[in-house]
Amino acid sequence: MLHNKTNGKELKEKLQRSTEERITISFYKYHYIFEPALFRDNLFKLLDTLHVLGRIYVAHEGINAQISVPAENLEKFKAQLFEIEFLKNIRLNNAIEDDGKSFFKLKILVRKKIVADGLHDNTFDVTNCGQHVNASEFNQLADNPNTVIVDMRNHYESEVGHFKNAICPDADSFREELPLAEQLLRDKKDKNILMYCTGGIRCEKASAWMKHVGFKNVFQLNGGIIEYARQVKEQGLENKFIGKNFVFDERLGERISNDIISHCHQCGKLCDHHTNCKNDGCHLLFIQCDECQKKYNGCCSDECSHVLTLPSEQQKEIRRGINKGRQVFKKGRAANLRQKINEPLVIHGTD
């Protein structure tokens, strides 16, 4: 069986003890893969040999990867990855803040899509995407009064960081966000629509869809926030991103600016530290400050904190039979989060 065989808790503890230098990388590519399962197995063998960790989605439409590579194997990894024809010289996004602790195991999953978007790709041309822009071009467009900046990420991502004057739709998922963004922009089809996301993959689909439904001037940030931050630093450009960039790994965030724009969901204190509730029957993703972390023992509520005091067998009994699907990933919308702020959407920087 080509999968991890070691207990996840043990792997996490091993990673925390490790002093090995690792580099966190993300990349994606829309490309038709005839046999995703076979491609997945061959890729697992390759990456496992190089001690790569991470989470990768493979589908008929392509690949979406977030991984951690040992520094000593980086060049070998690149050489072997680029031997895959459709991945030759693909852009690799290096993490902004990287402690080498982003992933603790290798997981490669075959899915129907590499990003769940709810679209039927046979109804429009997914390759007719928006014009790619670099950091300098993004800043120029952002300063244009005829431009509308749209964050194509989920609410819990934009809550801790976003570009100045961006529209941040209040959506739980990309599938929900596409129709919501279309609705919010319905009277702005002659504007410059400037889209961005974490690494660029969501904008590939979103920008193509926007063009399909009639938007004329659609642009997307090439490489997303990750590449933008790198270019801003290297070229000494103005940084128009405020706060943190949420990432889908153990770090849960990379700081782009020193601004803290969000609040602890329990006490309301300025804070942008995401965490998952320590109760295994909950795992709610929410924002928690250090004081509340101590007060609630890393949990989202008194109820979950109490569960942690119970014997492990009793905890298992409480969890038994519970469907943990959406319960695990409510993303900070639970009623017991006393200070969760749901402000009405405000559109800035537009006529």
Side-chain angles (χ1 to χ4, degrees), residues 18 41 51 53 65 91 104 133 161 186 197 208 210 213 219 231 240 244 257 271 278 286 321 325 327:
S18 175
D41 289 349
H51 305 293
L53 307 175
R91 184 190 66 244
F104 61 89
V133 296
R186 63 186 179 277
C197 56
M210 289 299 183
V213 296
F219 302 85
Q231 291 180 17
K240 292 183 178 292
K244 269 178 135 178
S257 80
C271 176
K278 295 297 185 293
F286 67 109
Q327 178 196 7

Side-chain angles (χ1 to χ4, degrees), residues 13 35 121 134 152 164 208 213 234 237 303 314 347:
E13 292 174 350
E35 294 186 82
D121 292 352
N134 59 28
M152 292 309 301
K164 298 174 183 176
V213 296
E234 287 187 355
L237 304 173
E303 294 80 6
Q314 190 171 347
I347 299 179

Side-chain angles (χ1 to χ4, degrees), residues 155-170:
H155 78 88
Y156 53 89
E157 299 174 77
S158 59
E159 183 176 5
V160 294
H162 54 75
F163 279 101
K164 298 174 183 176
N165 299 325
I167 294 176
C168 300
D170 189 25

Side-chain angles (χ1 to χ4, degrees), residues 227-245:
E227 179 64 12
Y228 176 88
R230 186 189 69 79
Q231 291 180 17
V232 162
K233 184 176 181 180
E234 287 187 355
Q235 300 172 29
L237 304 173
E238 177 190 358
N239 176 26
K240 292 183 178 292
F241 190 94
I242 52 175
K244 269 178 135 178
N245 178 33

